[in-house]
């Protein structure tokens, strides 16, 4: 890239931020700082569009404190206009196939010792693709005594899919207003509620695992469980990114990801931007699963009335406290 190319990109970037970033004052400050750095030769070593986009991504996040900012090279990107764009059939088919290859974001579904359910969810894809998979996973958890939802590696995704998942955890007819999303470019607010048509429901205790890597939609999910007093959050304070984004072309094949919206939780009237979701039980992320499992087992032991069942739960609890579990046996009973 030539100096003139970089200057044109910087100017386009400032214009896009000033018109679309959720906080105009921050947009003005960040745009000015990047323009000043470019004028002083701070990007002279970025000789390619790839290198320049990487440098811009780093500075956008550092200068704004907003971790949703990004920049990348994508020669095939076409910026959407103001009017709603209907995705082409081929693109939708490709997205559906990709969601299936990704397991709809569901990394693992398991029944832990003591009849405790466990689901690890890595992200929130398009609702029309992932919704049925969520309900299928929840149907497998229907008979468990409690559920652990692992969001420690969840990087986010669709707010509508977050709402669809959370809908499984309230009784039929119990509609909850979860969040509002204000979009600056359109000056509109979108209200997101639980989904009344979700049939599979779960009324047992829920523990939600978080880490510093939990971000965006993963944080939205954990925050909503906490705010609605429907789950106990266990682990680390999350990444701290709540502003939904749009994508914009700034020339030379460079696409910038600009936070265009602000999320507000209906219960708390605020969000987790910059501060993250603070756990109810703070432990290192690597210990969160064991901590949640032990807490559940202790509650099950204290409430179990049947002597034999209680004794078995106590045995399982003792192993869980030591980080152990029964090894699978692959021989017939009595066979040596």
């Amino acid at each position: 890239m030539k100096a003139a190319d970089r200057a044109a990109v910087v100017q386009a970037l400032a214009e896009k931020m000033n018109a679309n970033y959720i906080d105009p004052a921050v947009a003005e400050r960040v745009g000015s700082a990047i323009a000043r750095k470019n004028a002083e030769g701070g990007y002279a070593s970025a000789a390619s569009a790839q290198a320049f986009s990487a440098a811009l991504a780093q500075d956008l996040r550092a200068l704004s404190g907003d971790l949703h900012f990004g920049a990348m090279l994508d020669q095939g990107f076409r910026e959407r206009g103001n009017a709603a764009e209907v995705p082409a059939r081929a693109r939708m088919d490709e997205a559906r196939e990709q969601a299936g290859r990704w397991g709809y974001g569901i990394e693992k579904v398991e029944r832990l010792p003591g009849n405790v359910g466990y689901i690890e969810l890595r992200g929130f894809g398009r609702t029309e693709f992932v919704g049925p998979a969520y309900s299928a996973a929840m149907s497998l958890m229907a008979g468990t005594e409690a559920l652990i939802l692992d969001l420690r590696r969840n990087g986010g995704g669709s707010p509508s899919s977050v709402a669809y998942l959370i809908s499984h955890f309230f009784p039929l007819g119990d509609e909850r207003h979860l969040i509002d999303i204000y979009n600056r470019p359109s000056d509109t607010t979108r209200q997101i509620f639980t989904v009344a048509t979700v049939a599979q429901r779960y009324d047992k205790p829920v523990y939600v695992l978080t880490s510093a890597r939990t971000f965006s939609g993963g944080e939205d999910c954990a925050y909503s469980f906490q705010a609605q007093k429907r789950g106990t959050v266990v682990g680390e304070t999350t990444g701290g990114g709540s502003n939904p984004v749009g994508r914009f072309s700034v020339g030379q094949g460079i696409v910038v990801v600009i936070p265009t919206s602000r999320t507000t939780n209906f219960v708390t009237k605020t969000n987790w931007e910059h501060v993250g979701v603070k756990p109810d039980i703070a432990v290192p992320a690597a210990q969160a699963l064991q901590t949640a499992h032990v807490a559940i087992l202790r509650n099950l032991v204290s409430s179990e009335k049947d002597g034999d069942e209680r004794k078995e739960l106590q045995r399982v609890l003792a192993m869980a406290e030591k980080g152990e579990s029964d090894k699978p046996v692959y021989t017939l009973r009595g066979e040596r």
Side-chain angles (χ1 to χ4, degrees):
M1 293 186 69
K2 299 178 181 178
D5 297 328
R6 288 191 294 270
V9 168
V10 167
Q11 181 178 348
L13 171 60
E15 291 172 355
K16 297 290 185 180
M17 282 197 298
N18 288 335
N20 297 286
Y21 184 56
I22 187 60
D23 189 329
V26 174
E28 176 67 28
R29 176 173 59 79
V30 172
S32 296
I34 288 178
R36 186 164 54 251
K37 178 175 177 177
N38 184 62
E40 294 171 352
Y43 296 112
S45 62
S48 68
Q50 181 71 55
F52 192 32
S53 66
L56 288 175
Q58 182 176 348
D59 285 347
L60 284 167
R61 294 175 192 137
L63 292 167
S64 68
D66 191 328
L67 298 180
H68 268 114
F69 259 121
M72 66 205 72
L73 188 64
D74 186 352
Q75 299 285 359
F77 176 79
R78 295 294 178 269
E79 189 173 314
R80 293 186 180 186
N82 292 328
E85 179 181 338
V86 178
R89 174 64 181 272
R91 194 159 75 246
M92 286 294 288
D93 288 344
E94 181 182 357
R96 186 184 301 275
E97 181 180 352
Q98 183 178 6
R101 291 197 302 268
W102 190 45
Y104 307 102
I106 301 173
E107 183 77 10
K108 185 182 294 185
V109 179
E110 189 176 356
R111 191 170 66 91
L112 303 177
N115 195 27
V116 176
Y118 172 81
I119 297 175
E120 183 180 7
L121 192 61
R122 296 290 301 276
F124 294 94
R126 294 179 67 107
T127 310
E128 59 265 45
F129 302 156
V130 303
Y134 293 171
S135 293
M138 289 307 304
S139 71
L140 295 174
M141 299 290 98
T144 57
E145 303 298 333
L147 176 69
I148 297 173
L149 178 63
D150 192 345
L151 303 177
R152 289 176 294 177
R153 297 191 290 171
N154 191 300
S158 165
S160 296
S161 296
V162 174
Y164 193 94
L165 175 68
I166 291 175
S167 303
H168 294 84
F169 298 92
F170 296 99
L172 284 169
D174 184 357
E175 187 177 38
R176 300 292 179 105
H177 188 170
L178 300 174
I179 59 173
D180 294 327
I181 300 178
Y182 170 73
N183 179 263
R184 183 191 167 205
S186 64
D187 192 26
T188 59
T189 298
R190 175 186 173 198
Q191 297 181 322
I192 296 184
F193 291 78
T194 52
V195 181
T197 55
V198 170
Q200 187 72 44
R201 302 288 172 141
Y202 188 86
D203 61 359
K204 305 294 179 57
V206 181
Y207 285 69
V208 182
L209 310 186
T210 60
S211 74
R213 180 178 173 180
T214 307
F215 192 65
S216 192
E219 297 178 277
D220 176 14
C221 186
Y223 194 92
S224 290
F225 268 105
Q226 193 178 61
Q228 296 286 343
K229 300 187 184 306
R230 183 58 187 91
T232 301
V233 178
V234 181
E236 299 171 344
T237 299
T238 60
S242 69
N243 296 332
V245 302
R247 288 169 172 77
F248 303 88
S249 175
V250 292
Q252 301 295 320
I254 296 175
V255 177
V256 290
V257 181
I258 299 176
T260 57
S261 304
R262 177 178 292 110
T263 299
T264 302
N265 182 272
F266 180 73
V267 175
T268 66
K269 308 305 180 186
T270 185
N271 57 43
W272 54 95
E273 182 68 22
H274 299 311
V275 298
V277 181
K278 294 178 170 49
D280 301 303
I281 303 174
V283 295
Q287 299 174 18
L289 176 56
Q290 181 185 14
T291 300
H293 191 198
V294 166
I296 292 169
L297 291 171
R298 286 174 179 166
N299 290 334
L300 293 176
V301 167
S302 65
S303 62
E304 181 57 57
K305 299 296 190 287
D306 182 273
D308 291 339
E309 291 291 338
R310 183 184 177 90
K311 184 177 180 180
E312 173 60 16
L313 284 170
Q314 288 173 328
R315 185 189 71 82
V316 172
L317 171 59
M319 295 188 71
E321 288 175 331
K322 294 184 289 185
E324 300 174 353
S325 61
D326 290 325
K327 298 296 186 290
V329 177
Y330 300 112
T331 59
L332 294 172
R333 288 185 180 180
E335 180 182 339
R336 294 186 178 181

